[in-house]
Amino acid sequence: MEKSNFDRLLERYLAGEVSEEERIKLEKWLDSIKVEDTTNLNLSPAQEEKIFQRIISKQEPGDFGQTNEARPRKNQRFWIVRIAAALLLLITAGYLTWMFTNTPTQVEKLILTDGSIVWLEPGSKLSYSERNQDGVTVRFATLTGDALFEVFKDKNRPFIVQTGPAEVRVSGTSFKVRGSSASAEVSVLTGRVVFTSTRTNQSIPLLAKEKGTCTAQGRLTKRSLSDKEKEIISNNAEYELHFDATAMSEVAERLEAKFDKKFRFIDATPLSCRVTVDLTDHSLHESVDMLQQILDVSFQVEGDTITVSGVGCGSD
């Protein structure tokens, strides 16, 4: 996660490391936004940077939205409380942006705050935040490079990926995105996405096993994906979870690797059960619910541990 200049400024203020000029400007800005109202805290990265530049500039504080009448100077403790309140509201409202940069030579798996999983290719960059748009919470990601998305299904919270000259909008599905300033591509594995050119504002729907391309000029095209292309897309990821008479011990290992959880079996008997099920593109809770329907066991998810109780199918 990479913090913005604005976030760092607030931290420096709390630590008493800002200059007197920065302190005056920051307090003036905070006084103007009335931090008790969370609707005034929906700041984009560009807005944060603009405020940051105004605060650190050598110009006079100017008007941050209020009159220039002299105000009684507030004491330091009061402003520390207001800063802390502002930070807390930003965090709980979900407006902080999480930044990820993959510099290693292998795919990096990210589990986002909404439960979605992203496999980020080497050299790629991703930012993620949740923000309010016209009364609707939107899960918003920007991508430079390549990534495989398995989006947690939530019809009430759209998931949008902005990349290069295009935008991908879904409510919950799996797809691969490749984007740069020159072009954007999206390959759909399951579900349906809306692929939009941000240059022309034109859109096309894409279904499973379809690929869309957007040129720098905003021209949209689509075609079918071959089985080989679909297979390559999910290479180096724990995406495919299709099991055919597979021991439950292996199923548990694969789920542990995908969701960063640890299975704990009260009784070892279920480990030898043979399971035939397709858990691909299913959340952790959906996966354990499906397994409960197959085996005579119950699952309890607490933190990073999944406790399995019951005797399952018995030994083979």
Side-chain angles (χ1 to χ4, degrees):
M1 182 184 71
E2 181 179 320
K3 296 178 181 177
S4 68
N5 289 327
F6 184 73
D7 294 330
R8 294 190 185 94
L9 177 64
L10 293 180
E11 288 182 352
R12 287 198 294 113
Y13 180 92
L14 290 174
E17 298 172 353
V18 293
S19 67
E20 180 66 8
E21 184 179 30
E22 288 174 331
R23 182 192 64 76
I24 293 172
K25 292 180 179 180
L26 183 56
E27 290 178 359
K28 188 178 180 68
W29 175 74
L30 284 168
D31 198 26
S32 72
I33 66 167
K34 297 181 176 61
V35 298
E36 293 83 359
D37 183 1
T38 59
T39 59
N40 289 318
L41 291 173
N42 188 0
L43 301 176
S44 68
Q47 289 172 322
E48 286 189 0
E49 184 63 21
K50 184 176 180 181
I51 293 169
F52 172 75
Q53 292 299 333
R54 291 181 66 180
I55 290 172
I56 65 170
S57 69
K58 296 301 181 183
Q59 301 175 2
E60 290 301 312
D63 186 4
F64 279 99
Q66 301 286 323
T67 64
N68 286 326
E69 297 175 2
R71 297 184 179 88
R73 178 173 174 173
K74 313 294 193 301
N75 63 54
Q76 186 76 3
R77 179 178 175 82
F78 172 82
W79 281 108
I80 288 177
V81 172
R82 292 198 71 174
I83 287 275
L87 287 172
L88 179 61
L89 289 172
L90 283 167
I91 293 170
T92 56
Y95 295 134
L96 292 182
T97 299
W98 298 82
M99 305 289 294
F100 307 93
T101 301
N102 188 4
T103 54
T105 57
Q106 60 184 12
V107 173
E108 180 180 3
K109 180 183 66 180
L110 309 170
I111 299 181
L112 304 181
T113 54
D114 72 326
S116 297
I117 302 177
V118 181
W119 286 274
L120 196 62
E121 297 282 351
S124 301
K125 296 181 179 180
L126 177 78
S127 68
Y128 174 79
S129 63
E130 296 179 9
R131 57 186 66 175
N132 188 291
Q133 291 184 359
D134 300 324
V136 177
T137 299
V138 175
R139 297 171 288 171
F140 189 84
T142 59
L143 172 72
T144 301
D146 295 13
L148 171 61
F149 290 80
E150 189 172 344
V151 174
F152 181 79
K153 300 173 180 63
D154 189 340
K155 293 181 180 179
N156 297 319
R157 295 191 301 160
F159 194 106
I160 298 173
V161 180
Q162 178 78 53
T163 184
E167 177 182 283
V168 182
R169 187 182 184 96
V170 304
S171 59
T173 184
S174 52
F175 52 93
K176 177 71 175 288
V177 177
R178 171 177 294 174
S180 67
S181 58
S183 64
E185 298 176 354
V186 57
S187 301
V188 184
L189 297 178
T190 61
R192 177 183 183 274
V193 311
V194 177
F195 192 41
T196 302
S197 164
T198 55
R199 302 283 194 270
T200 64
N201 207 32
Q202 294 181 325
S203 301
I204 57 173
L206 295 173
L207 303 178
K209 296 188 66 175
E210 289 187 336
K211 177 177 181 177
T213 302
C214 180
T215 65
Q217 293 74 34
R219 181 172 176 267
L220 297 172
T221 58
K222 70 176 180 179
R223 65 173 178 83
S224 297
L225 281 173
S226 68
D227 290 337
K228 184 63 176 177
E229 286 177 309
K230 185 178 177 181
E231 180 182 339
I232 292 173
I233 286 172
S234 58
N235 281 350
N236 303 315
E238 303 100 357
Y239 172 75
E240 293 286 349
L241 291 179
H242 179 78
F243 303 103
D244 186 7
T246 305
M248 183 59 199
S249 57
E250 181 180 338
V251 174
E253 288 178 4
R254 297 277 300 279
L255 290 173
E256 286 178 340
K258 180 171 182 176
F259 295 105
D260 292 346
K261 303 291 184 182
K262 184 66 177 178
F263 277 81
R264 184 175 71 91
F265 288 81
I266 302 298
D267 190 298
T269 306
L271 291 167
S272 61
C273 295
R274 295 286 169 174
V275 176
T276 298
V277 65
D278 190 358
L279 302 179
T280 304
D281 196 38
H282 287 285
S283 69
L284 175 62
H285 289 280
E286 289 172 338
S287 297
V288 297
D289 284 345
M290 293 171 70
L291 289 171
Q292 283 183 149
Q293 296 175 25
I294 298 172
L295 304 173
D296 184 19
V297 296
S298 62
F299 295 85
Q300 184 174 3
V301 182
E302 291 184 353
D304 294 333
T305 303
I306 303 171
T307 301
V308 185
S309 57
V311 296
C313 58
S315 56
D316 291 338

